[in-house]
Amino acid sequence: LSPRNSKNALDLSLEVHRIKLLKELRTIYPVLQNPEQHYFIRGAELPANVHLSDINEDEISAALGFVCHSIVMMSKYLQIPLRYRIVCNSSRSAIQEDGVKILPLFCSRVVDRDQLDRGLYLLRLNVECICKTRGIPISSNNDAHL
């Protein structure tokens, strides 16, 4: 094999391995949408607006923790660095802005609403980064969801 063919074969093998890892991640963190357009990850509902939802704060926080972990794993599998570091801590996950400020990615009575909103915004930017890097179009009709 020529060096070019060898590199192409290696690139193909790597992509096949990435696809396999992402399929496994999808079985660990299945994301489903019901007929009412509500999203669920591992059975926990992820509302379009965490502040206007009647869903239990613990369930929302668990769903956000699942999202955080799946994003971190995707970025590792695809070798795409995230602009904002995610601190995976289950239902008490967070995101780091500019290497200094830690923002919550969980719901609680003691969490400042503006900080949570900023954290969710940064999380969405991380998702957009992964999508854009892989050439996946981002739908504008789901702006409220991650």
Side-chain angles (χ1 to χ4, degrees):
L1 286 172
S2 72
R4 184 175 186 189
N5 287 341
S6 180
K7 182 187 179 317
N8 289 342
L10 187 60
D11 288 345
L12 179 62
S13 176
L14 179 60
E15 190 64 20
V16 167
H17 184 66
R18 286 177 175 163
I19 290 169
K20 180 181 178 229
L21 290 171
L22 291 172
K23 282 183 178 181
E24 289 176 13
L25 188 62
R26 190 173 62 186
T27 63
I28 296 168
Y29 293 113
V31 177
L32 303 172
Q33 184 180 20
N34 69 9
E36 293 83 33
Q37 305 299 309
H38 297 192
Y39 287 90
F40 297 81
I41 182 166
R42 284 191 60 94
E45 187 169 353
L46 188 61
N49 186 321
V50 297
H51 305 296
L52 300 177
S53 176
D54 58 352
I55 302 167
N56 180 311
E57 288 179 346
D58 291 336
E59 181 174 347
I60 295 170
S61 297
L64 288 171
F66 296 150
V67 169
C68 288
H69 190 242
S70 64
I71 292 169
V72 167
M73 296 310 294
M74 274 188 266
S75 75
K76 289 182 183 299
Y77 294 162
L78 298 171
Q79 295 180 324
I80 299 171
L82 297 175
R83 169 69 176 92
Y84 303 100
R85 187 173 78 86
I86 297 173
V87 180
C88 292
N89 192 21
S90 192
S91 62
R92 292 296 181 256
S93 295
I95 194 162
Q96 190 171 17
E97 183 176 23
D98 300 327
V100 179
K101 189 174 187 178
I102 302 286
L103 300 166
L105 290 172
F106 60 91
C107 294
S108 171
R109 296 189 208 316
V110 297
V111 168
D112 180 71
R113 180 182 180 137
D114 291 337
Q115 286 189 343
L116 175 58
D117 288 343
R118 180 72 181 160
L120 292 170
Y121 173 73
L122 298 179
L123 187 64
R124 180 169 175 84
L125 290 179
N126 278 345
V127 171
E128 288 177 2
C129 174
I130 292 171
C131 291
K132 286 179 182 177
T133 302
R134 295 297 289 184
I136 299 168
I138 301 168
S139 175
S140 60
N141 65 347
N142 287 332
D143 282 340
H145 282 92
L146 296 171

